[in-house]
Structure formats: structure tokens, C-alpha cells
Amino acid sequence: MTGERPAYYVLGYGEDFGLTALTESLSRPGSATDPAVALGFAQELADQSEGEEAIELGEDARRLLASELPERVLRTVWLASTGNVFDPTGHGMTCREWLERISEVSTARLRRDKPSYTPPPVRPVRDVGRCQAVVAELRATAPALVGASALPDLVDALERVVTGADGDLGMRLFLRALKAHAVPVPYGQYSRLVALGWQFGFPPGAVHDGLVITWPPVSAASRQGINGDFGLSRLARQFTAGWHYRTPRGAVAAAAKADGYERPPGSEAAVLLEDTRRVLDTGLSDDAITVLWLAATDRGYNIDRFGIGGREWLEQVVEVCEEHLNQVAPAYVPAARPPATGAGDEVLREIRRMSPLAAGTVVSPAFHPIEGTTVMEALEQVTTRVDPDLGFRLLLRTVEVLQLPLTEEQYMRYEALAGRFHYDEDHVHFSVNHLVQRT
């Protein structure tokens, strides 16, 4: 990314790109056995996104070519990035000559759309702060990287790319070396690498995909890394009108896998399972569960019209979550969440304050309407008999579905409750900020 171009994620990249996307392709077993096949991979990459990806590919190659790095360094980082699968010197070329061929592939693709295209001068990223941060992470991983790779002076070669050629490409070549050699990366360092990647404009996938991350244990009690809604209330939100999965179980499976890049695999499934099991284990009536689901989804998935009871549906949700957790986190043990002392009474008061407004509304007025009063009664039950936390999240969802106006004082109380439950700071804002009647 140069100073004149937007961040890579703004340009639409969701995963790795440029020279490191090419080396990732070449690192797959059996991918490249000779220069012609390897150049074919470069041509395919350059042709993606109607030729736009040729820009990053050519820029990366020319940044290395414009540097004063010796052949030894270039060959070392190339081999590390490809996992030693394709060595240009084994085919009568220096690494510089090979990079020139890649640059030519990029230029040829761009000239198909603009015959007069001439590669601009390279603008390497040499921001001191970012480059020093990459070097610090490289040195932190040095013992494990040296132990995993037979390449001599690999750490020194990568550091020289960062400091002597380009911090952006150096960071990505460092990541590729970690991935190609399956070097375990502690969760704390992974979090730093993601944050550093954002500074370079990388999409999270450029850091995450293929990296061997040592995740902490999955814990449903932890809210760290959750953005916005979660658990059963989030699942219901995803079943509003227009959900596109072929089957309801398919939609649940997709929700259970939505951990994002910052949470251990299985985190969302664990939180969803915790919510769902708690509802089922407390003896809440089938009718109350059905009302809560239909209201929270705004009748997006009408289980009652398919002859499915609320309990039966939640049991299916439990099955999907357990199947996913058995695959990605077989050692998962549910963890009890510390209670928010006094929060139950506060949530109950907020529900009752909204009940008069809800009394004059219905969920889905045009199709099997559900009285707002019925929904508020079910919310009281889930708050007093199941969990105030879940009751509050479903209250927020109900206020959003029924479009009930809020005062600024109510909104402030909602934010305070969200803090008690350790929600993400945007949780309440995203759900109901647009309903606040400001004077």
C-alpha cells in the first residue's frame, strides 16, 4: 500500500494479495514444478479482479528489485515464503531474474487494458514506527522460526527486507514464513499482528488465514472480542426477513461459526449454547419460548407455522452448537458467568417501563400478529426465571422490532446496564440508538 492508495481492505481485498498471495499458491504441494507452471500461477493472480490484482503483484516485485538487498537475502525470503517448494535458482535463474519475470507478467496484464501503461516508481513503506514493530514481532518469534526452518539466516533476511526494502511486504513475507513452516503463534502475539496488519491496511484474513494460532480455551463466560450482539439474541436477529440459508439448521450452523478473527474457534457456539441451554433448563413454557423467538426474529422464521414448538427448535439449536464444538473445541467445558448483582431487578424495571408503550403495538401486524403485551410478559419470565442478561438483550431486540421510542434517560440506563453485563460498547448503540427521541 503506497501513500497514494487506500488501505487494501478498502480496495476490496479480504485475504492475502500481491507477491505473498503468489507464494501461498506456489507453496501448495504439487503446485509448481517448473518456471512455466509458476508463471502460469502469476498470470492467473494478475488476471483476478479484472486485472486489478496485477497492481499489487507488480509493485511487490519491483519493491524488492529496487532495493539493494543481495541475492542471498532475496532467495532466502522467497524460499521461506513458498515453503521451499519452488527455487528459481534450480532452473538457471537468479531470484532477481525471477522477480523481473513476475513484474513483466504484471505489466503485460495491465497493458491489456491500457497499452501505454508504464509501471510507476515504487513507493516503499519505510515508516520507522511500523517497521520497528514488525522487527520486534519477528525477533519474538525468531527461536520458533529458526527451529522450524532449515534456511540459514532466515530471521536476519526477513529483518533486512523490513528495514531495507519495504515494511509492508516485509510484514507479509514474515507472515508467509510463519504459515509455510507451521510455526505456532501465541494468542497474544497474534492479536498484536492483527493490530499491526490494520496499520498497514491489511484485511484480517491476510494475517489470520493459514496461521497456526495457539488459542486460549473457549469460554462462554468471556465476552472479549465480541462486537455487537451475540448468543440467542444475535441468532434471532439473523433470522429476520430475507435470511438466505437453504435450511434453518444451515443458518444456525453459520451463526455458530461466526467467531471472527479475534476469538477462539467455537466461541460463538459456546455463547449460543449457554443461552439456549439456560432457557431449556429452567422450565420456561413452550409458548413463552415461541413468543420470544417470533418477536425477536420479527416473524422472520415462523416456527409455529411449521408445527415446531419453541423447545423443539431450541433443542435443534443445541444439537448444531454441540456438533460444531465437538469439531473445533472438543475440550470445551461450559463456564459459569459471574452474576451481575442487582441487575435482574433493573432489567425488570426497564421491561415494565416499556410495557405501556408496547401494549399498543404488535409484532408482524400483517401476518399472524403477536400482541406487544404478550411479548413483554414473556420477557419478564425470561428475566426472572432464566437470565437477566438474556432478558435485557431480548428487550433491546423487542424495542427495535416494535420501534418503541426511547428517552435519552432510558438510553443512558440501557448503556449502564450493558456495561454491567460487559457488552461491547456498540451493542446498545447499534440496536436502539436510532429510536432515541432527542430534544
Side-chain angles (χ1 to χ4, degrees), residues 129-157:
R130 281 182 286 173
C131 290
Q132 287 179 342
V134 176
V135 169
E137 297 302 335
L138 176 58
R139 291 177 179 175
T141 320
L145 191 54
V146 169
S149 171
L151 292 167
D153 302 321
L154 172 56
V155 174
D156 177 70

Short mmCIF file of all heavy atoms in Angstrom, two decimals, residues 129-157:
data_model
loop_
_atom_site.label_atom_id
_atom_site.label_comp_id
_atom_site.label_asym_id
_atom_site.label_seq_id
_atom_site.Cartn_x
_atom_site.Cartn_y
_atom_site.Cartn_z
N GLY A 129 8.16 3.66 12.81
CA GLY A 129 7.40 3.02 13.88
C GLY A 129 6.85 1.67 13.49
O GLY A 129 6.99 0.68 14.24
N ARG A 130 6.23 1.60 12.31
CA ARG A 130 5.66 0.32 11.87
C ARG A 130 6.74 -0.71 11.59
O ARG A 130 6.60 -1.89 11.92
CB ARG A 130 4.79 0.54 10.63
CG ARG A 130 3.40 1.08 10.95
CD ARG A 130 2.57 1.23 9.70
NE ARG A 130 3.00 2.36 8.89
CZ ARG A 130 2.53 2.63 7.67
NH1 ARG A 130 1.64 1.83 7.13
NH2 ARG A 130 2.94 3.68 7.00
N CYS A 131 7.83 -0.27 10.97
CA CYS A 131 8.92 -1.21 10.66
C CYS A 131 9.54 -1.77 11.94
O CYS A 131 9.84 -2.96 12.04
CB CYS A 131 9.98 -0.53 9.80
SG CYS A 131 9.44 -0.18 8.11
N GLN A 132 9.72 -0.91 12.94
CA GLN A 132 10.28 -1.38 14.20
C GLN A 132 9.33 -2.37 14.88
O GLN A 132 9.79 -3.34 15.51
CB GLN A 132 10.56 -0.20 15.12
CG GLN A 132 11.76 0.64 14.69
CD GLN A 132 12.01 1.83 15.61
OE1 GLN A 132 11.12 2.23 16.38
NE2 GLN A 132 13.20 2.39 15.52
N ALA A 133 8.02 -2.12 14.74
CA ALA A 133 7.05 -3.03 15.33
C ALA A 133 7.11 -4.40 14.67
O ALA A 133 7.02 -5.43 15.34
CB ALA A 133 5.64 -2.45 15.22
N VAL A 134 7.28 -4.43 13.35
CA VAL A 134 7.41 -5.72 12.65
C VAL A 134 8.67 -6.44 13.10
O VAL A 134 8.66 -7.65 13.37
CB VAL A 134 7.42 -5.51 11.12
CG1 VAL A 134 7.66 -6.84 10.41
CG2 VAL A 134 6.12 -4.89 10.64
N VAL A 135 9.78 -5.70 13.19
CA VAL A 135 11.04 -6.31 13.62
C VAL A 135 10.91 -6.89 15.03
O VAL A 135 11.41 -7.98 15.32
CB VAL A 135 12.18 -5.28 13.56
CG1 VAL A 135 13.44 -5.82 14.25
CG2 VAL A 135 12.50 -4.92 12.11
N ALA A 136 10.21 -6.18 15.91
CA ALA A 136 10.02 -6.67 17.27
C ALA A 136 9.26 -8.00 17.28
O ALA A 136 9.62 -8.93 18.01
CB ALA A 136 9.28 -5.63 18.11
N GLU A 137 8.21 -8.10 16.45
CA GLU A 137 7.45 -9.35 16.38
C GLU A 137 8.28 -10.46 15.75
O GLU A 137 8.21 -11.63 16.15
CB GLU A 137 6.15 -9.14 15.60
CG GLU A 137 5.18 -8.16 16.23
CD GLU A 137 4.77 -8.56 17.64
OE1 GLU A 137 4.81 -9.77 17.96
OE2 GLU A 137 4.40 -7.67 18.42
N LEU A 138 9.08 -10.10 14.77
CA LEU A 138 9.96 -11.08 14.11
C LEU A 138 10.96 -11.65 15.11
O LEU A 138 11.17 -12.87 15.18
CB LEU A 138 10.66 -10.41 12.94
CG LEU A 138 11.70 -11.21 12.17
CD1 LEU A 138 11.09 -12.49 11.60
CD2 LEU A 138 12.28 -10.35 11.04
N ARG A 139 11.54 -10.78 15.90
CA ARG A 139 12.53 -11.24 16.88
C ARG A 139 11.87 -12.07 17.97
O ARG A 139 12.48 -13.02 18.49
CB ARG A 139 13.26 -10.04 17.47
CG ARG A 139 14.18 -9.36 16.45
CD ARG A 139 14.85 -8.13 17.03
NE ARG A 139 15.75 -7.51 16.04
CZ ARG A 139 16.40 -6.36 16.23
NH1 ARG A 139 16.25 -5.71 17.39
NH2 ARG A 139 17.19 -5.87 15.29
N ALA A 140 10.62 -11.73 18.33
CA ALA A 140 9.91 -12.51 19.35
C ALA A 140 9.66 -13.94 18.89
O ALA A 140 9.60 -14.87 19.69
CB ALA A 140 8.59 -11.83 19.71
N THR A 141 9.52 -14.10 17.57
CA THR A 141 9.23 -15.43 17.01
C THR A 141 10.48 -16.13 16.53
O THR A 141 10.41 -17.28 16.09
CB THR A 141 8.23 -15.27 15.83
OG1 THR A 141 7.26 -14.30 16.15
CG2 THR A 141 7.53 -16.58 15.51
N ALA A 142 11.61 -15.46 16.58
CA ALA A 142 12.84 -15.98 15.98
C ALA A 142 13.19 -17.40 16.43
O ALA A 142 13.49 -18.26 15.59
CB ALA A 142 14.00 -15.02 16.26
N PRO A 143 13.18 -17.72 17.73
CA PRO A 143 13.58 -19.09 18.11
C PRO A 143 12.71 -20.16 17.47
O PRO A 143 13.23 -21.17 16.98
CB PRO A 143 13.42 -19.07 19.64
CG PRO A 143 13.56 -17.63 20.02
CD PRO A 143 12.93 -16.86 18.90
N ALA A 144 11.39 -19.93 17.46
CA ALA A 144 10.49 -20.94 16.87
C ALA A 144 10.67 -21.00 15.37
O ALA A 144 10.63 -22.08 14.77
CB ALA A 144 9.04 -20.59 17.22
N LEU A 145 10.87 -19.85 14.72
CA LEU A 145 11.03 -19.83 13.27
C LEU A 145 12.33 -20.50 12.86
O LEU A 145 12.37 -21.28 11.89
CB LEU A 145 10.99 -18.38 12.77
CG LEU A 145 10.89 -18.14 11.27
CD1 LEU A 145 9.71 -18.89 10.68
CD2 LEU A 145 10.77 -16.65 10.98
N VAL A 146 13.41 -20.23 13.60
CA VAL A 146 14.69 -20.87 13.30
C VAL A 146 14.59 -22.38 13.48
O VAL A 146 15.12 -23.17 12.69
CB VAL A 146 15.79 -20.28 14.20
CG1 VAL A 146 17.08 -21.12 14.10
CG2 VAL A 146 16.09 -18.84 13.81
N GLY A 147 13.87 -22.80 14.52
CA GLY A 147 13.72 -24.23 14.77
C GLY A 147 12.90 -24.95 13.72
O GLY A 147 13.09 -26.15 13.48
N ALA A 148 12.00 -24.22 13.06
CA ALA A 148 11.11 -24.83 12.07
C ALA A 148 11.68 -24.80 10.67
O ALA A 148 11.25 -25.57 9.80
CB ALA A 148 9.75 -24.13 12.08
N SER A 149 12.65 -23.91 10.42
CA SER A 149 13.18 -23.75 9.06
C SER A 149 14.65 -24.14 9.00
O SER A 149 15.43 -23.85 9.91
CB SER A 149 13.03 -22.29 8.60
OG SER A 149 13.71 -22.07 7.39
N ALA A 150 15.02 -24.80 7.89
CA ALA A 150 16.43 -25.16 7.69
C ALA A 150 17.20 -24.07 6.98
O ALA A 150 18.40 -24.22 6.71
CB ALA A 150 16.51 -26.45 6.88
N LEU A 151 16.54 -22.95 6.65
CA LEU A 151 17.19 -21.88 5.91
C LEU A 151 18.11 -21.09 6.84
O LEU A 151 17.67 -20.59 7.88
CB LEU A 151 16.15 -20.94 5.30
CG LEU A 151 15.29 -21.54 4.19
CD1 LEU A 151 14.10 -20.64 3.89
CD2 LEU A 151 16.14 -21.74 2.93
N PRO A 152 19.36 -20.96 6.49
CA PRO A 152 20.28 -20.19 7.34
C PRO A 152 19.96 -18.70 7.27
O PRO A 152 19.57 -18.16 6.22
CB PRO A 152 21.65 -20.49 6.73
CG PRO A 152 21.38 -20.82 5.30
CD PRO A 152 20.04 -21.51 5.30
N ASP A 153 20.08 -18.03 8.39
CA ASP A 153 19.92 -16.57 8.46
C ASP A 153 18.55 -16.10 7.99
O ASP A 153 18.42 -14.98 7.47
CB ASP A 153 21.01 -15.87 7.63
CG ASP A 153 22.42 -16.25 8.08
OD1 ASP A 153 22.63 -16.37 9.30
OD2 ASP A 153 23.28 -16.44 7.21
N LEU A 154 17.50 -16.92 8.18
CA LEU A 154 16.17 -16.51 7.73
C LEU A 154 15.69 -15.27 8.48
O LEU A 154 15.16 -14.34 7.86
CB LEU A 154 15.18 -17.66 7.93
CG LEU A 154 13.70 -17.33 7.69
CD1 LEU A 154 13.48 -16.76 6.29
CD2 LEU A 154 12.82 -18.54 7.92
N VAL A 155 15.85 -15.26 9.79
CA VAL A 155 15.37 -14.12 10.57
C VAL A 155 16.08 -12.85 10.14
O VAL A 155 15.46 -11.79 9.96
CB VAL A 155 15.55 -14.39 12.07
CG1 VAL A 155 15.20 -13.14 12.89
CG2 VAL A 155 14.68 -15.56 12.51
N ASP A 156 17.38 -12.93 9.96
CA ASP A 156 18.14 -11.75 9.51
C ASP A 156 17.68 -11.30 8.13
O ASP A 156 17.54 -10.09 7.87
CB ASP A 156 19.64 -12.08 9.48
CG ASP A 156 20.46 -10.92 8.95
OD1 ASP A 156 20.56 -9.90 9.64
OD2 ASP A 156 20.98 -11.03 7.81
N ALA A 157 17.41 -12.24 7.22
CA ALA A 157 16.98 -11.88 5.87
C ALA A 157 15.62 -11.19 5.90
O ALA A 157 15.41 -10.18 5.21
CB ALA A 157 16.91 -13.14 5.00
#
